[in-house]
Amino acid sequence: MVAAVALGSNLGDREANLREALRRMGSLGKVTAVSGFYDTEPVGYLEQPRFLNAALLLESGLAPVELLRALLGIELAMGRDRAVVPAKGPRVIDLDLVMVGDVVMETVELVLPHPAMQEREFVLGPLAEIAGEMRHPVLRKTVGELLVALRTG
């Protein structure tokens, strides 16, 4: 199944952090596409450095919750402990599981598709570059259509 993952970093060498996360995610399956890197303003918690964001597509045999746990393991190994740092605060790496095929699920641990993806240009922009035709399984719009809708308000 193809998973869409959003990446972000705003501490240290942001580009090196994204590249290291990409390298590590290769152990979870086959990375089939990677967007360019986008320099973006922080959202929510504004008193922090700018982010570098990207998106990737990953073909993985892992179930969605297993994939999420593996992504959180990469974050932890790279120095991000979600239990310590504020949710929207500065971070070495942020890996968000945005969509997994047409899976729709809501558990304590994971909600798919990501409930705020359609509100975040820093997710939709990079994802549209590599998967503009990927369809949101609930909203029934493509990533490209969601991006246009967000930009035009």
Side-chain angles (χ1 to χ4, degrees), residues 6-83:
L7 302 84
S9 176
N10 75 338
L11 292 178
D13 185 333
R14 302 175 309 163
E15 183 174 342
N17 294 338
L18 293 185
R19 293 196 185 285
E20 177 61 16
L22 289 167
R23 186 189 69 74
R24 291 177 187 225
M25 280 187 279
S27 69
L28 306 179
K30 181 181 179 188
V31 175
T32 59
V34 179
S35 74
F37 293 173
Y38 293 77
D39 183 75
T40 64
E41 292 281 339
V43 174
Y45 182 78
L46 303 179
E47 296 300 317
Q48 61 181 322
R50 293 178 64 86
F51 278 85
L52 198 61
N53 292 101
L56 69 78
L57 297 180
L58 178 72
E59 286 181 8
S60 178
L62 296 174
V65 172
E66 291 175 310
L67 181 55
L68 172 69
R69 290 176 184 159
L71 294 174
L72 294 177
I74 290 171
E75 284 186 355
L76 192 58
M78 289 183 65
R80 180 180 185 199
D81 185 349
R82 287 184 178 227

Side-chain angles (χ1 to χ4, degrees), residues 49-124:
R50 293 178 64 86
F51 278 85
L52 198 61
N53 292 101
L56 69 78
L57 297 180
L58 178 72
E59 286 181 8
S60 178
L62 296 174
V65 172
E66 291 175 310
L67 181 55
L68 172 69
R69 290 176 184 159
L71 294 174
L72 294 177
I74 290 171
E75 284 186 355
L76 192 58
M78 289 183 65
R80 180 180 185 199
D81 185 349
R82 287 184 178 227
V84 176
V85 179
K88 304 285 185 225
R91 45 210 180 261
V92 170
I93 194 67
D94 183 28
L95 303 175
D96 287 331
L97 188 53
V98 179
M99 289 196 295
V100 179
D102 59 359
V103 173
V104 177
M105 65 183 289
E106 186 169 347
T107 69
V108 172
E109 201 169 356
L110 177 62
V111 177
L112 285 175
H114 191 290
M117 69 174 281
Q118 67 274 7
E119 303 162 8
R120 296 178 172 170
E121 188 165 353
F122 64 87
V123 170
L124 294 176

